Amino acid sequence: MKRLYLIFLVVIVALVIFSCGIKIPQKAPEKVKVQYTKHLEFPVTTLDFKIKDLVDDIEGQLGSGMTLVKTDPVEIKYATEVVFSPGTFLKDIEDELQNKLSELGGRFNLSIDTSYLATQFHGSIELPELQPVEQTIGNSEIPIPDLTIVSGQNLPVTSGQNNFSIPTSFLSTLIFDEANLKSVDVYLQISGVTASNPVLVVDGVSYSITLGTKTLSNVLLKKSSSVVLRFNSASAGIATVTLEFKNQKLNYFKNLDTSKLDEEKISLEVNQSIPVATGSWKLALGGNVGIQIIVAGFSGNIKQTYTAKSGSTTIGSGESYSLNASITLNEAEKFTVGDGVEISGTIELTGTVSADFRIAPKVKFTPNVQVKKIEDYPVLLTVPLPENVTSLSFTSGSGYMLLSFEGINITEVSGTFDSNALEKLSNQIKVPFGGVSLPAVLNAKISGDVVSDGIFYSLSLPEDQNIIIESATISGVSIEPVVINQPVPEAVSQLADSATATIIVKLNYDVSNVTGLNLDISSNFFDVGNGSYPLSGTGVIVLKSENKNFDFSTFTNFSLTLTPTIPSEIEVNNVNIRDGVRLSIEPVLEEFEISSVDIKPQIYSQDFGTVVDFGDVFSGDFEFLKELDFALNALLGFEITESTIPATITLYISGDPVKLTNGQEKDIGDMIKQLIKNGSPLILSITLETGSGELTKDSEIRAWLDLTIPLQADTPDTDVVINEGTIDLSTLKQVKDIVELAQLKFGTYSNTTGLKAKLKLGDDVTITLTDTEPTIELDKAQIEALADTAVPYKIMLPADSTISLNYNGQLNIAPYLSVDLKVATEVSLGQGR
């Protein structure tokens, strides 16, 4: 049944084939025509246009006051204004008055009280810090036992040069796999013949030796080394040879068996000093000293043992079986700081060891320590006389002040202040002032347990204690008068007929426990305050003129003289330090206000110079920008507030005037655009012309210019060329008749500029460059037109379009022609004869 089914299927297939008109050839053809495709590429150009380059170049060309905002799109901004108001009318006079009053305050500032003493007894104790150190381990040469290479070996020799290769079995006794013999004494003995000019060749490196002993340096030897002994013999015969390596010292070794060494180990000694501080006081350290061994190519067993001492005192120890170790310090053990810390240790390498001592081994010591205790730490403070005080003494019955400490629990105190003994009181030191005369020295030694990283001290006067100044002499206080004689500025007198002002100065004085001081005041602009004032205790002297009119036709200068009268010597007796002695004057310029100004008719001009030269900015590769119509904003304004004074301003824009009256604004954008188009500089100056009238304190004459040039613009009604050139595509002539497919593609394509440009190749191939990569297919006529030696190309901004320059934008394109050629050939299928 299955067989019948297969026969039926074959018949059906045959009927279908023949019914479709398919003719089955009787034999294969002798020739077949074959077609295949070949791909060619023709580069056009490469353009890498970065907006950032343009912007950075522009930024370097901008004048004062002009800024560039690096946004999308980029903006160029310029803002300026001219303001005239009574508030700034007599600014020079105000500044001079302020300076002179400050000068007066600086001359009289003397105090003898608890605050003065507190500043002299305020500070910190500088505890030492141990710094990391690094040490190179010296004498890192490892001696190994002598090695006999051959002993009494009989060798047949001929007359002349002989070479004897040492069998590798003779090197099997080496105690390392390989090593560098930094120093080795090679002993050679040859008997039985007359030998000369011996040479030892190790792995191709020749070493001249001698009969007897010769020291060689840096011989690299391996168990697998090829070792040849070469020497000359005067005659043929049998030579008896002995070759030995003696006094071997290694500085590099691999898999060295330390059990074969005399001490069965490699020992390295370490000694390192770590300075602490100078002095004879003591401290105790807690924490540890970290130790790191650095050995190139190290492997094997290691043991480190260390002891830390200061003088004869052991302060710590440590042991490790790795490359890192630590010395734990005994925080209860005190030592003299001047002795420093001495660390001694031994490094032992055992077992099968490898190391390269040609790179000097190092040991790094890193102290991680804290000061735990101090003993007899010296605190030396000199308390000077206050400035202008020639003598100062305290009564014998004066009490004490307390020197308080933070960061330490004091256990013991010794020393003196002047000749008075210091005492410990809780965690404080009693500093007795009885009978002390300044200058005086506090010379203390303190001991205690340190509880923080820093120790700070300060002085205070207990409530139950009184310190009395027995006598003090003050002299040398400056008595030079403070003089202000400031002419009314010429610009002010030319501008205004008069001004009304309120000026108030307060002189706050504190003259406590000092007598005989006076202050004389005279001025031509204060109505209140002129006169002579005895200074005693605390008080205020007020100098004042309220709504005073200054007629500049007769008032030509501001004058003020402050003359203090101070005795050459001031004696102070029996004053409690709590009350203190003070001599100070604190001047305050409380108010300086011009309430109104009567101004004259005048003309005021100000030149701002060249703000930017558009010819420099929009040039070279970026000259095309001059053809664009920028959407810029340039607003010129002028206003007068709280005044009826007639006034006008004229702004000159590169010589062209724009005139405004009060309350007017004008957009001068078209003028700026024309300067950009012409590549001209933007030069600004302004002229203010006023009539006569009054300005009050709230009045203001203001002119301003706000200019914003966003680099966003419209193109004109024609395309704007930003890059052009020619390309040789003459090769296309040879293949234009067999082109199957031609496309304009891009090897590189990125357009984030905000420019929607066009690429034109020849006369009739145009492609738009948007933010996505385009492709255009070319027909046969276009290919024929492009097959030339000088095909023009242009990259253009399309007419009647809007573009913007984004700061981070880039137009990076590499267009090329992609051409597929259809090539035909014939293949013979007949049998060869």
Side-chain angles (χ1 to χ4, degrees):
M1 186 70 182
K2 181 178 180 182
R3 184 178 179 184
L4 288 174
Y5 175 76
L6 291 175
I7 293 172
F8 176 76
L9 182 62
V10 170
V11 172
I12 293 299
V13 171
L15 288 173
V16 171
I17 292 175
F18 283 100
S19 67
C20 293
I22 297 176
K23 185 178 180 181
I24 299 177
Q26 298 299 313
K27 63 177 181 177
E30 293 184 358
K31 292 183 179 180
V32 176
K33 188 173 184 180
V34 179
Q35 291 185 339
Y36 64 94
T37 299
K38 185 174 184 180
H39 180 76
L40 299 177
E41 293 180 354
F42 300 87
V44 177
T45 187
T46 298
L47 178 63
D48 190 0
F49 176 86
K50 295 183 178 67
I51 301 300
K52 181 179 183 297
D53 294 341
L54 165 65
V55 169
D56 291 346
D57 185 62
I58 290 176
E59 193 169 26
Q61 302 289 339
L62 299 181
S64 175
M66 212 165 206
T67 59
L68 190 142
V69 185
K70 299 173 182 179
T71 53
D72 296 338
V74 176
E75 291 184 343
I76 299 174
K77 290 191 173 185
Y78 178 77
T80 187
E81 69 176 7
V82 176
V83 178
F84 178 81
S85 69
T88 59
F89 184 66
L90 294 176
K91 184 63 176 170
D92 291 344
I93 304 297
E94 180 181 1
D95 291 343
E96 177 67 9
L97 181 58
Q98 183 71 68
N99 292 337
K100 289 296 185 179
L101 292 175
S102 298
E103 183 181 319
L104 175 66
R107 292 184 183 181
F108 305 102
N109 190 12
L110 181 150
S111 63
I112 310 171
D113 53 18
T114 54
S115 62
Y116 170 77
L117 296 175
T119 59
Q120 307 304 314
F121 289 86
H122 180 81
S124 61
I125 290 177
E126 297 295 330
L127 297 175
E129 295 181 358
L130 277 62
Q131 300 300 318
V133 293
E134 185 177 288
Q135 172 193 341
T136 298
I137 301 176
N139 300 319
S140 49
E141 302 171 0
I142 310 305
I144 64 173
D146 296 346
L147 173 66
T148 299
I149 306 295
V150 292
S151 177
Q153 182 74 30
N154 292 324
L155 303 175
V157 297
T158 61
S159 176
Q161 189 180 82
N162 292 267
N163 292 288
F164 171 54
S165 294
I166 307 295
T168 56
S169 60
F170 281 61
L171 299 178
S172 61
T173 56
L174 290 175
I175 63 173
F176 49 76
D177 287 349
E178 65 178 71
N180 187 66
L181 308 181
K182 182 179 181 183
S183 175
V184 57
D185 293 340
V186 178
Y187 171 74
L188 175 65
Q189 184 182 40
I190 302 176
S191 60
V193 297
T194 302
S196 62
N197 300 324
V199 175
L200 188 66
V201 183
V202 181
D203 293 330
V205 181
S206 298
Y207 301 91
S208 177
I209 56 177
T210 186
L211 294 174
T213 301
K214 183 174 182 180
T215 301
L216 300 181
S217 300
N218 294 319
V219 179
L220 186 62
L221 186 63
K222 308 174 184 177
K223 280 186 177 180
S224 60
S225 286
S226 167
V227 181
V228 177
L229 176 63
R230 179 185 302 150
F231 60 90
N232 293 334
S233 176
S235 61
I238 300 298
T240 302
V241 177
T242 296
L243 179 63
E244 297 178 355
F245 285 1
K246 300 181 177 182
N247 299 321
Q248 301 179 88
K249 295 180 180 178
L250 312 182
N251 61 359
Y252 160 72
F253 45 88
K254 185 175 182 180
N255 295 329
L256 172 66
D257 185 357
T258 61
S259 66
K260 303 297 178 62
L261 301 178
D262 292 343
E263 296 183 359
E264 299 184 352
K265 61 184 177 182
I266 297 173
S267 295
L268 302 174
E269 299 298 323
V270 176
N271 291 283
Q272 178 64 52
S273 297
I274 300 179
V276 179
T278 58
S280 58
W281 60 280
K282 295 184 177 182
L283 58 69
L285 295 175
N288 63 76
V289 178
I291 301 173
Q292 180 187 14
I293 306 296
I294 303 173
V295 180
F298 173 76
S299 64
N301 300 324
I302 183 172
K303 179 183 178 181
Q304 301 184 65
T305 306
Y306 294 96
T307 300
K309 288 187 173 183
S310 181
S312 60
T313 304
T314 299
I315 61 173
S317 61
E319 186 177 88
S320 172
Y321 291 87
S322 70
L323 291 172
N324 295 310
S326 178
I327 299 175
T328 303
L329 300 177
N330 184 352
E331 62 183 47
E333 198 69 57
K334 288 179 283 190
F335 62 92
T336 302
V337 294
D339 291 341
V341 175
E342 297 288 335
I343 295 177
S344 59
T346 301
I347 303 171
E348 295 181 352
L349 309 180
T350 58
T352 301
V353 178
S354 300
D356 189 351
F357 289 164
R358 292 171 297 185
I359 303 172
K362 293 182 179 179
V363 185
K364 290 185 176 180
F365 299 88
T366 305
N368 305 297
V369 301
Q370 308 85 39
V371 177
K372 293 296 184 179
K373 297 177 183 294
I374 59 174
E375 180 179 300
D376 293 336
Y377 184 95
V379 177
L380 187 65
L381 299 173
T382 298
V383 184
L385 285 165
E387 187 177 1
N388 297 116
V389 177
T390 55
S391 67
L392 174 60
S393 61
F394 301 97
T395 62
S396 58
S398 291
Y400 60 83
M401 298 184 79
L402 289 176
L403 192 61
S404 302
F405 287 82
E406 296 179 9
I408 185 174
N409 294 326
I410 297 177
T411 57
E412 189 175 346
V413 173
S414 63
T416 58
F417 177 52
D418 201 20
S419 59
N420 296 332
L422 302 175
E423 298 179 44
K424 175 181 174 298
L425 179 63
S426 184
N427 203 42
Q428 299 169 310
I429 298 176
K430 293 170 62 175
V431 181
F433 277 77
V436 172
S437 296
L438 299 186
V441 176
L442 182 139
N443 190 350
K445 291 183 178 181
I446 64 172
S447 303
D449 299 324
V450 179
V451 295
S452 72
D453 293 337
I455 301 176
F456 305 92
Y457 56 84
S458 58
L459 192 71
S460 62
L461 179 62
E463 292 185 2
D464 61 347
Q465 296 295 304
N466 286 295
I467 297 174
I468 308 300
I469 298 174
E470 183 175 49
S471 64
T473 302
I474 301 172
S475 62
V477 178
S478 174
I479 59 173
E480 292 296 322
V482 173
V483 178
I484 296 174
N485 193 6
Q486 183 74 11
V488 174
E490 184 178 353
V492 170
S493 59
Q494 289 179 350
L495 179 67
D497 289 321
S498 65
T500 301
T502 295
I503 305 173
I504 301 175
V505 171
K506 290 185 177 181
L507 303 178
N508 301 300
Y509 62 86
D510 184 353
V511 181
S512 299
N513 295 309
V514 180
T515 59
L517 275 67
N518 286 279
L519 181 63
D520 294 324
I521 303 172
S522 63
S523 75
N524 71 337
F525 60 94
F526 284 122
D527 295 331
V528 176
N530 294 306
S532 181
Y533 298 86
L535 302 180
S536 180
T538 59
V540 180
I541 301 172
V542 178
L543 310 178
K544 180 168 58 176
S545 289
E546 291 186 296
N547 295 318
K548 182 179 181 66
N549 183 263
F550 296 93
D551 183 348
F552 296 127
S553 64
T554 57
F555 189 87
T556 58
N557 70 299
F558 288 82
S559 63
L560 169 67
T561 303
L562 305 171
T563 306
T565 303
I566 302 175
S568 58
E569 284 194 350
I570 301 173
E571 295 294 333
V572 177
N573 297 287
N574 199 34
V575 174
N576 193 314
I577 198 69
R578 292 183 187 277
D579 300 326
V581 176
R582 281 178 295 278
L583 171 58
S584 67
I585 299 178
E586 181 188 359
V588 177
L589 179 57
E590 190 165 272
E591 186 175 351
F592 193 108
E593 182 181 81
I594 309 298
S595 55
S596 66
V597 177
D598 291 324
I599 66 171
K600 304 174 182 179
Q602 61 180 296
I603 297 176
Y604 170 82
S605 297
Q606 185 171 347
D607 187 0
F608 299 100
T610 300
V611 176
V612 62
D613 191 333
F614 293 116
D616 292 337
V617 172
F618 299 142
S619 62
D621 291 340
F622 309 116
E623 191 166 1
F624 71 90
L625 292 171
K626 292 192 293 187
E627 301 181 40
L628 305 182
D629 183 13
F630 288 97
L632 58 82
N633 175 45
L635 191 64
L636 175 66
F638 176 57
E639 68 176 0
I640 303 173
T641 57
E642 301 299 325
S643 177
T644 58
I645 291 178
T648 60
I649 65 155
T650 304
L651 178 68
Y652 293 90
I653 305 168
S654 298
D656 294 330
V658 178
K659 191 170 185 177
L660 296 182
T661 59
N662 181 23
Q664 275 192 309
E665 287 185 340
K666 187 168 185 179
D667 188 345
I668 59 171
D670 289 341
M671 301 177 71
I672 304 297
K673 290 179 182 180
Q674 191 62 44
L675 292 176
I676 294 175
K677 187 175 184 64
N678 297 339
S680 302
L682 173 59
I683 305 171
L684 295 180
S685 64
I686 193 169
T687 297
L688 170 65
E689 187 173 354
T690 72
S692 60
E694 182 183 72
L695 295 177
T696 68
K697 65 179 181 180
D698 299 320
S699 300
E700 185 176 80
I701 300 176
R702 185 171 75 96
W704 70 92
L705 172 62
D706 287 326
L707 171 62
T708 301
I709 308 176
L711 297 189
Q712 180 173 338
D714 295 330
T715 59
D717 56 4
T718 57
D719 294 340
V720 177
V721 177
I722 63 175
N723 186 270
E724 63 182 329
T726 60
I727 183 69
D728 185 357
L729 296 176
S730 58
T731 310
L732 282 174
K733 289 182 179 179
Q734 305 172 26
V735 298
K736 65 181 182 179
D737 294 331
I738 56 174
V739 172
E740 182 178 34
L741 176 67
Q743 293 178 310
L744 185 62
K745 293 184 175 181
F746 295 85
T748 301
Y749 191 91
S750 174
N751 184 12
T752 56
T753 58
L755 300 173
K756 290 181 173 56
K758 293 194 303 185
L759 169 63
K760 186 173 183 180
L761 188 61
D763 293 328
D764 58 355
V765 177
T766 303
I767 188 168
T768 302
L769 307 176
T770 61
D771 54 356
T772 57
E773 181 177 346
T775 299
I776 185 172
E777 196 166 313
L778 308 179
D779 58 27
K780 186 175 182 64
Q782 290 172 318
I783 290 296
E784 289 182 352
L786 293 176
D788 199 350
T789 57
V791 179
Y793 73 85
K794 294 181 180 179
I795 298 176
M796 304 173 292
L797 301 179
D800 298 320
S801 63
T802 300
I803 64 97
S804 65
L805 299 183
N806 301 329
Y807 179 71
N808 294 305
Q810 179 181 16
L811 177 60
N812 184 9
I813 59 172
Y816 68 93
L817 281 178
S818 172
V819 179
D820 291 341
L821 305 179
K822 183 168 64 177
V823 183
T825 187
E826 287 186 344
V827 179
S828 177
L829 301 179
Q831 295 183 354
R833 295 181 181 272

